[in-house]
Amino acid sequence: MKSAVETLNPTRVRLTVEVPFEELKDSLDAAYKKINQQVTVKGFRKGKIPARVIDQRFGRGAVLEEAVNDALPKFYTEAINEAELNPLGQPEVDITELKDGETLNFTAEVDIRPTIEIPDYSGIEVTVDAVEVSDEDVEKSVEQLRERFASTSPVERAAEDGDVVTIDLEAKVDGEVLEDGVAEGVSYTIGSGELLEGIDDAVKGLEAGGEATFTSELKGGSAEGKEAEVTVKVTQVAARELPALDDDFAQLASEFDTLDELKADSRKRLENMKQYDQATQAQERVLDELLKLAEVPIPEKLLADEIQTRKHNLEHHQLGQMGIDLAKYLEIQGKTEEEFTAETEEQAVKGIKTQFILDELVNKEKLNVNQEELTEHLMRRAASSGMSPDQFAQAVVEGGQVPMLVGEVARGKALAVVVEAAKVTDTNGEVVDLEDAEDEAAEAAAEVESAEDEAAEKTEA
């Protein structure tokens, strides 16, 4: 086999491959064997039909077609490996010449990873937000915790903002009550925005036994997206009572004995959260600067596929879970479809450039991923997906996505190398040490998550 490579542009090549006919022997034998198992010829046992009979009865062309289809992937792979190319996606193959007993010639056009020159990133400088926690921040955090431990008690007065009302709902579309449009005994906090638009104005001012009718667009159910006439009846009004801010509250809501200790812990956790945000911000801004320095050509088909994938995931997964379509999403965002498409393309370009340049850095710096690093990354991904580590790991293995996770970890390590080399200062002019930015960020996130889980357990208790 002989092959030659023609560079069409920085991200696409054309392979020209010439295969002597004798190199097709194995594929021809396989073709005869396959056809033998599929056809029946009177006078011959199944699988024992001579090649000359198959040629006579079914045509030599059918055999050659089967042999070529079998051989092409092998010869294409050999040509790719010989040229030391990194293909992206499937090739466009064109058989230019097939002479029985003489030769098979074909061309294959395919996108490839571009050659990227890693720029000198040692001079990158970025500014990030300073880690500052004010007394007001601490008070707000404690107040949010206090809200979680609020109690309610029925009152005999009109409903006000912040009250918890028990309501019955009935929704009609075109004058007909929907089969799934009736609900009784629903608990709702006025002002929370958790139910239908317009319900707050409808129930405020009503006492137990009062009712009102309003019009609202339904967020789910059989008539999702339609305007409905909704009747709401208040069966109970309850006032929310917040616990006093004292040592007893600290003991109720946390493992601390005093309110001062609770506030000190809240301050520390807020600092951890801001450190997490600062580390993330540093990584994002350093990456942006790195991408500005590097020339990264983008394969057109890869970009088109990435844009399509992003749009599909948004429409059929994220928006589907929210119960809205793309048109409604654009209306909420205040964007035109053209603006959305341009924004999606910009994000796709950035994503592809990031992967290309960080993968090149992985190779240049000879970065490896050990089992401990992969396990830690898997645990974080499992937590963000809402699955247990065992469930997530099983899904990853069954889906053949282990190499993808390894790549994510390796690219994270490559970015860490660039961040460590960059000069990062905060808005106060102080130099920020981000040598272990990723580990610190993960630790801070874990502490915050642990605190939230602890508060939730006490609330349920």
Side-chain angles (χ1 to χ4, degrees), residues 145-190:
L145 182 60
R146 188 182 176 207
E147 290 276 350
R148 298 179 69 167
F149 285 85
S151 59
T152 58
S153 57
V155 291
E156 294 183 3
R157 59 165 173 76
E160 302 172 354
D161 269 327
D163 284 344
V164 179
V165 290
T166 304
I167 54 178
D168 296 337
L169 295 166
E170 181 183 84
K172 293 181 180 179
V173 173
D174 298 331
E176 297 290 331
V177 178
L178 300 172
E179 289 185 11
D180 54 355
V182 177
E184 296 181 349
V186 177
S187 181
Y188 175 67
T189 301
I190 299 176

Side-chain angles (χ1 to χ4, degrees), residues 108-127:
E109 287 191 18
V110 67
D111 287 333
I112 60 168
R113 277 182 177 265
T115 301
I116 301 171
E117 184 176 340
I118 300 298
D120 179 10
Y121 50 79
S122 60
I124 291 178
E125 297 184 11
V126 298
T127 302

Side-chain angles (χ1 to χ4, degrees), residues 134-147:
S134 66
D135 292 341
E136 289 76 13
D137 292 333
V138 176
E139 295 300 327
K140 182 179 179 181
S141 175
V142 173
E143 189 63 27
Q144 289 173 343
L145 182 60
R146 188 182 176 207
E147 290 276 350

